[in-house]
Amino acid sequence: MIEEIILNYLLESGFPCYLSVPEEPSGNFVVLDKTGSGHDEGLFHATLAVQSYGKSKFSAAQLSHQVVQAMLDADTLPEVVSCELVTDYDFPDTTRKLPRYQAVFELVHY
């Protein structure tokens, strides 16, 4: 499952990372969300939204930048063929009233 592969990769890279927002969120953390997928000629395709939360808008932006840099190297993983940044942007969490940025990636993987 690509979510688990990327979750472990980001955790090993030093990012506090989850597949859903913790019940009592605090500090800076990352949430992965697969928003789409497909399969073609033996390869899987996935769209991942990587949401970076921070105590402030600036800290969320900094975390997002660091996570984007790490994700651009995800193709060094044996299961990942390619990882391309589609877009990233300010994406405040209005439900929890927390600063958040979102980066969207297209991955090809086994």
Side-chain angles (χ1 to χ4, degrees):
M1 203 165 93
I2 192 64
E3 299 98 306
E4 183 178 12
I5 292 166
I6 297 299
L7 173 74
N8 290 332
Y9 170 68
L10 291 175
L11 286 169
E12 290 169 9
S13 297
F15 297 103
C17 192
Y18 307 92
L19 295 178
S20 62
V21 177
E23 285 189 30
E24 295 183 26
S26 65
N28 298 336
F29 61 94
V30 175
V31 175
L32 297 178
D33 190 18
K34 184 165 85 171
T35 61
S37 64
H39 184 264
D40 185 31
E41 297 184 19
L43 294 175
F44 294 94
H45 303 262
T47 303
L48 285 183
V50 182
Q51 300 173 348
S52 299
Y53 285 82
K55 293 180 182 178
S56 67
K57 185 175 180 176
F58 182 70
S59 64
Q62 281 184 312
L63 179 59
S64 180
H65 178 75
Q66 294 166 350
V67 169
V68 165
Q69 296 302 312
M71 286 295 294
L72 292 174
D73 289 333
D75 61 1
T76 61
L77 296 169
E79 303 89 347
V80 177
V81 176
S82 67
C83 182
E84 307 256 339
L85 176 65
V86 175
T87 187
D88 62 330
Y89 48 91
D90 184 17
F91 188 55
D93 184 335
T94 57
T95 302
R96 294 173 190 83
K97 298 184 179 10
L98 293 173
R100 172 178 69 178
Y101 272 71
Q102 180 164 283
V104 178
F105 295 88
E106 290 290 335
L107 288 95
V108 177
H109 62 98
Y110 295 104

